[in-house]
Amino acid sequence: MFDYRNAFAAVTAGIRAENRYRVFTELQRDCSAFPRATWHVDGAAREITIWCSNDYLGMGRHPDVVAAMVAEAQTGSVGAGGTRNISGNSHAIVALEKELAILHGKEAGLVFSSGYVANQTAIATIAQCLENCLILSDSENHNSMIEGVRRAGREKVIFRHNDTAHLEELLKSADPARPKLIVFESIYSMDGDVGPIHTICDLAEKYGALTYLDEVHAVGMYGAHGAGYAEEVGAMARIDIVQGTLGKAFGCFGGYIAARADIIDAVRCNAHGFIFTTALPPPVAAAAAASIRHLRASGHERAQQRAQVAKVKQGLAAKGIPVLENSTHIVPVMIGDAAKAKAASDLLLQRHGIYVQPINYPTVPRGTERLRVTPTPLHDDTLIDTLLEAMVDVFDTLGLPRRTAHKLAAE
């Protein structure tokens, strides 16, 4: 008889041997004290500071967002009750999709249960709607995008990361009459580098391709209205399909796409990951809509976050802490070893009350392990000073070299 227990145990043992075993830290957030939180460990509770949240602007505790969620839960219901087709299309989700369409300057929006599901489902469905579609995907695209491409069942080609010359070679070799879908990101979440949006749009127009842009790590934070990096660089109108999340800078939960009405309607009617899953809870939809409305009108959070990000990057550089250079809000502190990255994270938490999760393979390539720091507007100067001194202590304690900033091209 097959030994199932040992089979699963062997898988975990292998991960432990590679120092890739994932340890989840139990945290209890406090809306009145964010980014501080309570760490629950071994029956005890300790106050710590979160430095790696994707709630980039702290909108998950914003009074308007909380109030919208509470009001919808009290007057409507906590859950959606089922799929949108069977249980009814909640007014809160319809209103949210209108907000998303306005935000991105598109005809329509479509909400999914998560950003991952949005990519996995929308990419596959869009490509399946186009007979003989050729998918051109950036080599550094997120796993959710890779899954969407795989599930499409169409021919795919991978272009080297942000290499538009390589992309053009691939486009040029394809039949001009063949439908083509270029799939890429605006901000790549681990290195913090940005996609060449205008150049890719130029190529799409030249060779008759659709563009699908993942703005997960940019919506809410870039552009005059928080519509993302495409808005920041004046390219929003050139993008055919924008994908984003409600679970990062907007502080809520869920994913979405925004595009022309014909594209949205085709996805809505054919996407299994949309049709056969329970809809987003109405209170979450109401909260997300409130967050979008606030950030569309207010630039304060974005400006303050950029100021704090700059202080962290400058402070780390001055201390000789190696940071992968980029122009965005992502601050990758480079370690280069899985065991040492985990040890650095543990020391920060246990000795300094600072929570920064290590990022190891397969999220990043082996040899590029790191601590991914994400300052928010609510990380004040005192917290920044504490982080800097803690990083110096941890690097020196572990014998990690302090040096000048990494160049992205050198990684």
Side-chain angles (χ1 to χ4, degrees):
M1 182 174 281
F2 188 82
D3 190 342
Y4 294 99
R5 184 184 299 275
N6 281 342
F8 287 114
V11 171
T12 305
I15 293 174
R16 286 184 185 275
E18 295 178 14
N19 295 297
R20 295 193 296 114
Y21 184 73
R22 295 175 184 265
V23 177
F24 296 146
T25 305
E26 183 182 346
L27 302 178
Q28 182 179 1
R29 292 170 60 171
D30 181 347
C31 66
S32 66
F34 182 81
R36 292 180 174 85
T38 301
W39 173 32
H40 293 274
V41 58
D42 298 330
R46 178 182 171 189
E47 185 181 274
I48 57 95
T49 302
I50 301 173
W51 272 100
C52 57
S53 174
N54 283 343
D55 186 0
Y56 293 129
L57 302 177
M59 291 301 293
R61 35 71 57 201
H62 193 281
D64 292 351
V65 176
V66 174
M69 173 174 277
V70 171
E72 182 66 29
Q74 288 179 333
T75 60
S77 68
V78 171
T83 67
R84 293 172 68 174
N85 182 54
I86 292 176
S87 296
N89 206 18
S90 82
H91 177 70
I93 293 182
V94 173
L96 171 59
E97 288 174 340
K98 289 179 180 178
E99 290 289 347
L100 291 166
I102 293 169
L103 177 69
H104 293 291
K106 303 300 182 185
E107 292 177 354
L110 190 67
V111 171
F112 295 82
S113 55
S114 74
Y116 192 103
V117 172
N119 271 334
Q120 185 184 61
T121 302
I123 292 172
T125 305
I126 290 166
Q128 288 166 356
C129 288
L130 303 171
E131 185 176 354
N132 196 33
C133 180
L134 175 66
I135 305 175
L136 303 102
S137 179
D138 188 285
S139 63
E140 296 300 311
N141 277 342
H142 188 264
N143 177 266
S144 60
M145 304 176 78
I146 294 170
E147 278 295 298
V149 171
R150 184 182 67 81
R151 287 169 178 262
R154 302 301 195 203
E155 182 184 356
K156 70 174 186 298
V157 290
I158 309 300
F159 61 93
R160 291 185 294 271
H161 180 49
N162 281 349
D163 188 337
T164 52
H166 186 215
L167 174 60
E168 183 163 23
E169 288 176 18
L170 298 171
L171 286 165
K172 189 182 296 184
S173 66
D175 182 347
R178 186 179 188 182
K180 295 171 277 289
L181 179 67
I182 304 173
V183 180
F184 66 111
E185 298 183 42
S186 61
I187 295 179
Y188 291 83
S189 63
M190 290 301 128
D191 288 344
D193 58 327
V194 299
I197 298 177
H198 275 295
T199 306
I200 289 177
C201 287
D202 290 342
L203 294 175
E205 292 170 7
K206 182 177 180 179
Y207 293 99
L210 289 177
T211 50
Y212 182 106
L213 178 64
D214 179 310
E215 287 263 40
V216 160
H217 291 275
V219 289
M221 293 179 295
Y222 294 88
H225 305 95
Y229 209 78
E231 183 185 37
E232 180 89 2
V233 298
M236 184 61 68
R238 307 186 69 189
I239 298 296
D240 294 299
I241 304 107
V242 176
Q243 183 268 345
T245 182
L246 305 168
K248 292 182 171 58
F250 291 128
C252 298
F253 185 77
Y256 65 89
I257 60 171
R260 292 196 318 263
D262 60 306
I263 295 175
I264 295 296
D265 210 31
V267 173
R268 183 183 64 83
C269 292
N270 291 282
H272 290 183
F274 171 80
I275 296 170
F276 296 108
T277 191
T278 299
L280 205 66
V284 173
S291 183
I292 292 166
R293 283 193 296 270
H294 177 86
L295 290 175
R296 197 168 71 234
S298 171
H300 171 75
E301 291 82 3
R302 289 187 286 275
Q304 186 61 24
Q305 189 213 28
R306 293 191 186 193
Q308 300 312 92
V309 168
K311 289 175 184 176
V312 170
K313 288 184 175 181
Q314 292 163 6
L316 290 170
K319 301 288 187 183
I321 303 297
V323 173
L324 195 60
E325 288 187 348
N326 61 60
S327 61
T328 65
H329 62 284
I330 307 295
V331 186
V333 175
M334 305 305 291
I335 306 293
D337 178 272
K340 291 179 180 178
K342 178 64 167 62
S345 174
D346 289 346
L347 265 180
L348 283 169
L349 184 59
Q350 294 163 5
R351 185 181 291 181
H352 299 281
I354 289 174
Y355 175 63
V356 183
Q357 189 73 352
I359 307 296
N360 297 327
Y361 176 85
T363 307
V364 296
R366 287 187 173 91
T368 69
E369 292 83 1
R370 66 199 65 183
L371 302 175
R372 180 178 175 273
V373 177
T374 54
T376 75
L378 300 168
H379 285 93
D380 60 28
D381 292 354
T382 299
L383 290 178
I384 291 175
D385 289 341
T386 301
L387 173 71
L388 298 178
E389 294 306 318
M391 282 289 188
V392 169
D393 176 63
V394 167
F395 265 68
D396 291 350
T397 297
L398 297 176
L400 297 170
R402 290 200 274 144
R403 54 192 184 277
T404 55
H406 280 33
K407 295 290 186 180
L408 181 58
E411 292 299 329

